[in-house]
Amino acid sequence: MRKVGFVLYPGYSTMSLVVSTVFEMANQHAGMKVYDVQMLSVDGGPIRTSAGFQIVTDRLSAEPLDLLVVGGSIEDTPPDVLTLLRRAPQFARRIAAPCTGALVLAEAGLLDGRRATTHWMYARAMAERYPKVRVEEDRIFIADGAIWTSAGMSAGIDLALALVEEDLGKEAARQVARQMVVYHRRSGGQSQFSTLLELEPTSDRMQSVLTYAQRHLSSRLSVEDLADVAHLSPRQFSRAFQSETGQSPAKAIEHMRLQAARSLLEDTHHSIDQIALQTGFADRDRMRRAFMRAYGQPPQVIRRATKPTSVEPA
């Protein structure tokens, strides 16, 4: 049985507790207690969370753990927690820090010389405050040796699913993801940002256009096509779309294609030519130019960053 300990302290973010559900579902899928999940603290007893309610914890001892999970807090991390974490590699085989828990590990010095990520809102500040940490802000999660960090909110679930996959295999992780009704599973290298979230149209009309576009990226998707979906003239549509999203239709569609293509590069073994066709770029040269404009790197470089064994020709 794998012992998983969550280290709690005052102001602990309740979002980090969602990670525990992945291990709970893994137990249900296995039909046995594969993971023994414990809520722990330095002294034991009730701990007040960021939501105001309390969670009863056991005292953290030096008993070996397979995984120690460190979440963030709305309050400063107590010195005794940092002292404990500095000793954690001695008794925990792996350490995971969803969201701003990465800042706690950085403060404890556990991320020095390592690659790490965190919620995009705090990534820049983390890089400035902890220059010894190699912060990669546009990542869902990163595993550097025995230490795992993730981006904010739901990315902790992706991290936990990756841990389950490492422990129990891909099919077990897939079944847990299905049970939780989440995507199985975003790769660690996938971008934290969503084009649809960034556009944030204010009307159902424009939202329906974006939904249509997302489902038909391989099609031409001209302004005339999108205007028909919105039941507007091309001129009316272009003005309304720009007003609601802050982008031209052409630029928004390119961003959606870029995001889809990057996801396919990171999560599949499809060739770059296939991905270019599937996402509406038509050919690899056109996709390459779009990648250089958006990311400053060609598709091959981004694929190699997440799939080291890839041999896609340049």
Side-chain angles (χ1 to χ4, degrees), residues 170-188:
K170 182 173 291 186
E171 184 57 29
R174 188 188 309 277
Q175 292 301 322
V176 170
R178 288 183 63 188
Q179 194 167 352
M180 294 182 65
V181 198
V182 296
Y183 179 77
H184 179 266
R185 68 174 164 75
R186 294 181 295 177
S187 67

Side-chain angles (χ1 to χ4, degrees), residues 19 55 66 85 118 192 206 213 252 256 276 301:
V19 174
I55 295 177
D66 185 73
L85 291 177
T118 189
Q192 291 191 32
M206 293 305 153
M256 293 173 71
V301 172

Side-chain angles (χ1 to χ4, degrees), residues 283-303:
D283 60 66
R284 62 187 293 148
D285 289 337
R286 187 172 300 175
M287 188 170 85
R288 185 182 188 280
R289 290 194 295 271
F291 266 69
M292 293 300 296
R293 287 194 299 270
Y295 306 124
Q297 296 178 322
Q300 295 89 339
V301 172
I302 290 176
R303 165 162 275 181

